[in-house]
Amino acid sequence: MQSPFLKALAAGPVVFDGAIGTQLYERGIYINKSFDDANLSRPDLVAAVHAEYLSAGAEVITTNTFSSNRIKLKRHGLEERAAEIASAGARIAREVAGDLALVAGSVGPTGRTPTMLTERELEEMREAFREQITALAEGGVDVIVLETFRQLAEVRMALEAAREVCDLPVIAQMSFDGERRTGDGADPERVAMLLADWGADVVGANCMEGPHVLYDVVVDMLSCGLPVIAQPNAGYPRKVDERLVYMATPEYFGVYARRFFKAGVRLVGGCCGTGPEHIRQVSAAARMLGGGRASVEVSAARMPREEAEPELAQSQKVPTRLAEKIEAAHRSRAAGEAVSRENFVVSVEVNPPSGLRADRAIEAARMLIEGGVDVINIADGPRASVRMANWALGRMLQESLDIEVILHLCGRDRNLLGLQSDVLAFEALDLRNLVVITGDPPKVGDYPHATAVFDLDSVGILRMINNFNRGVDPAGKPVGDATAFYCACGAEPAAADYERELRRLELKKAAGARFVMTQPVYDPAVLDRFLADIAHLDLPVLVGLLPLASARNAEFLHNEVPGMAVPLEVRERMRAAGTGQAARAEGVRIAQETLEAVGSRVTGAYIMPPFGRYEAALEILSCLPGYAQTPATEEAR
């Protein structure tokens, strides 16, 4: 009887799914943990990834078992659970796929080089492949897919192991370098001929530097006479501000999917950096050529139930005063109560000094608190400038004024180790209010050639802190007492890629953000749209206000600062106001108008006084009930 996989292959183009590891990382599995172990520890996350690919049109979903051999798992202390992990991976994929898709059992390389091993070590490799493939076959997969192999000797070993332990079809995919050669120097045509000779049912290539490079490789493999599969990365990963970013858009991926299919490639999916949207485009390309299937909604009945997590430590610390006021103010806004000093939260940014003396910052904070400000907000190297560490100023303010502060925390200057160390230190110093951001790149600051780290972006940092609040570190190891951080995240209501901004905010909430502090807003209509679009998240919002200092300042913010939009009407008003005190007064009036227009719909305000003019914050607040008039605002009115 012909296998379901081979029957599907004979019927027309077939759509594979995309990357699994990067999708799991986005859902909170850290890079220093085994992604494969998520089959046991977080089957719900693995199932969610499969379900998204299934909904996008994938006809074959791949098990989360790329590294489920005991040699790879040994580095995580999981070698004795290899078969269990592989079996669980097959079961999860099978349950999600149901009768809508086939399941491919993923087998990756061991990381060893066969030509450098003893006979005993070679036998260990063979046994590792046999064990993994047996577990996958018994778990109900429809086909075995050997992926990302660089050494022909190793892929042959895996092929032979598959033939020994099961009668399932086998896909053999190699990974090639920029010169279109395997690790042992073979070209695509030779590779395809050898894989066919060794018993593969389908041959092909995956990974590499994007669809355009992989295209030439797989076209050369077509001459072997077997069906060919292509699973490219989402473009060549580039370093952008020290972060690896895959550049190929889903639309571009779809263009190449059509080219693959038209050239004669029978199966197309994705590798590193691809997601459900890439596969949605591949599915559309397949349907144009008589294959594929329409997108579907995946029933919750297909999703394995989340296993109960072990009991974790719960923090016994009382909430911060800021947390209590924000939550109360958020309820007040929801109930439609009028704005007052008692139910409106105000945070004002006071930056650390660029030298050793913090006297001016301390006096500014004293003035602001006496004027009705609730919390002092301290940036973390704003605009990539060199300043005193913000936690040092925060501690000084706590000790000298007995006030609450909220610290920015960004990933630009700290690796994963440094971030964890600082977070633990913040808890020990009772600095428990944080604004988590990715951070400005060094190129905008004093030292443009300084090294940026960005081990974690804002979402990753929030996940890390949320784990500490549950009593575990990023590796899942209990750390004793739980922390009690209250975290904000940033948002850009005027973001150029607005849809991405909304998606990122959903991820931030899921990662542990408790409220939002926006970039400065100058157009109430922009904020109205933003508030309407995030209403389902039920997050308190502090609207960002940065009073303009001059027409030149307005033009700079509008044209050169990402996420900032100053309407033409506002820029014209600043130009008409002239310079000096008149311009500053006009900037305050514009901020007041924004605050009056949106105050009833937000939880509070986040004021960023320009150029250290902290009195401007109190001038802005004087438009609200309960806040004192200042001589400057009385004169302006």
Side-chain angles (χ1 to χ4, degrees), residues 593-614:
E593 291 167 10
T594 302
L595 184 54
E596 289 174 324
V598 304
S600 63
R601 297 191 297 285
V602 296
T603 302
Y606 164 35
I607 304 176
M608 295 154 265
F611 312 115
R613 298 190 182 106
Y614 299 111

Side-chain angles (χ1 to χ4, degrees), residues 321-621:
R321 286 173 287 175
L322 177 66
E324 291 178 328
K325 183 161 185 181
I326 286 180
E327 299 302 328
H330 185 52
R331 291 193 297 271
S332 176
R333 287 294 85 70
E337 296 177 12
V339 172
S340 70
R341 183 167 169 176
E342 287 69 38
N343 68 5
F344 194 78
V345 180
V346 179
S347 171
V348 177
E349 190 169 291
V350 176
N351 287 328
S354 54
L356 298 176
R357 298 187 64 83
D359 306 38
R360 186 168 183 270
I362 293 172
E363 288 310 307
R366 188 191 309 277
M367 174 192 70
L368 293 166
I369 295 297
E370 290 174 353
V373 170
D374 296 290
V375 64
I376 300 301
N377 191 299
I378 312 175
D380 185 11
R383 304 296 295 162
S385 60
V386 178
R387 293 176 179 269
M388 179 186 291
N390 64 349
W391 62 264
L393 177 59
R395 189 60 180 163
M396 290 179 196
L397 294 179
Q398 283 183 330
E399 291 177 344
S400 59
L401 303 179
D402 188 29
I403 63 173
E404 230 172 36
V405 299
I406 180 167
L407 303 182
H408 287 219
L409 175 64
C410 76
R412 176 191 59 234
D413 310 317
R414 306 165 177 88
N415 65 13
L416 182 60
L417 297 174
L419 283 166
Q420 293 180 72
S421 297
D422 280 356
V423 165
L424 293 175
F426 295 163
E427 175 72 27
L429 294 173
D430 199 30
L431 297 165
R432 294 193 280 124
N433 301 311
L434 300 176
V435 185
V436 176
I437 58 176
T438 298
D440 298 314
K443 66 183 180 184
V444 307
D446 301 332
Y447 297 92
H449 300 297
T451 301
V453 182
F454 293 120
D455 270 6
L456 298 179
D457 64 2
S458 57
V459 175
I461 298 171
L462 282 165
R463 287 177 181 143
M464 180 191 75
I465 294 171
N466 196 40
N467 274 345
F468 278 124
N469 280 351
R470 298 163 57 240
V472 295
D473 68 9
K477 182 177 67 178
V479 293
D481 293 339
T483 58
F485 289 104
Y486 187 65
C487 292
C489 65
E492 299 177 1
D497 190 346
Y498 183 67
E499 293 303 319
R500 178 182 183 276
E501 190 70 11
L502 296 180
R503 292 195 301 272
R504 291 277 297 172
L505 191 54
E506 291 180 346
L507 290 173
K508 291 172 184 178
K509 178 180 179 179
R514 303 289 297 279
F515 66 106
V516 178
M517 303 178 80
T518 78
Q519 279 273 45
V521 173
Y522 297 95
D523 183 352
V526 168
L527 187 68
D528 285 341
R529 177 183 70 157
F530 178 72
L531 293 174
D533 289 339
I534 68 165
H536 66 287
L537 296 178
D538 194 30
L539 282 170
V541 174
L542 272 60
V543 59
L545 300 171
L546 194 166
L548 298 168
S550 65
R552 182 179 178 182
N553 175 228
E555 292 293 341
F556 171 79
L557 293 176
H558 180 72
N559 293 300
E560 300 190 42
V561 179
M564 300 275 281
V566 184
L568 177 62
E569 176 189 355
V570 172
R571 284 178 277 146
E572 290 294 340
R573 284 179 60 179
M574 291 303 299
R575 189 172 294 110
T579 59
Q581 179 57 37
R584 291 194 290 273
E586 185 68 8
V588 167
R589 275 192 290 270
I590 291 167
Q592 287 179 327
E593 291 167 10
T594 302
L595 184 54
E596 289 174 324
V598 304
S600 63
R601 297 191 297 285
V602 296
T603 302
Y606 164 35
I607 304 176
M608 295 154 265
F611 312 115
R613 298 190 182 106
Y614 299 111
E615 64 280 357
L618 300 184
E619 293 168 11
I620 293 169
L621 291 173

Side-chain angles (χ1 to χ4, degrees), residues 211 251-263 265 268-269 278 281-286 289:
E251 293 73 21
Y252 176 79
F253 214 76
V255 168
Y256 262 93
R258 290 192 292 276
R259 292 179 184 174
F260 282 126
F261 286 134
K262 287 181 178 179
V265 174
V268 177
H278 294 84
Q281 295 290 331
V282 175
S283 181
L289 298 169

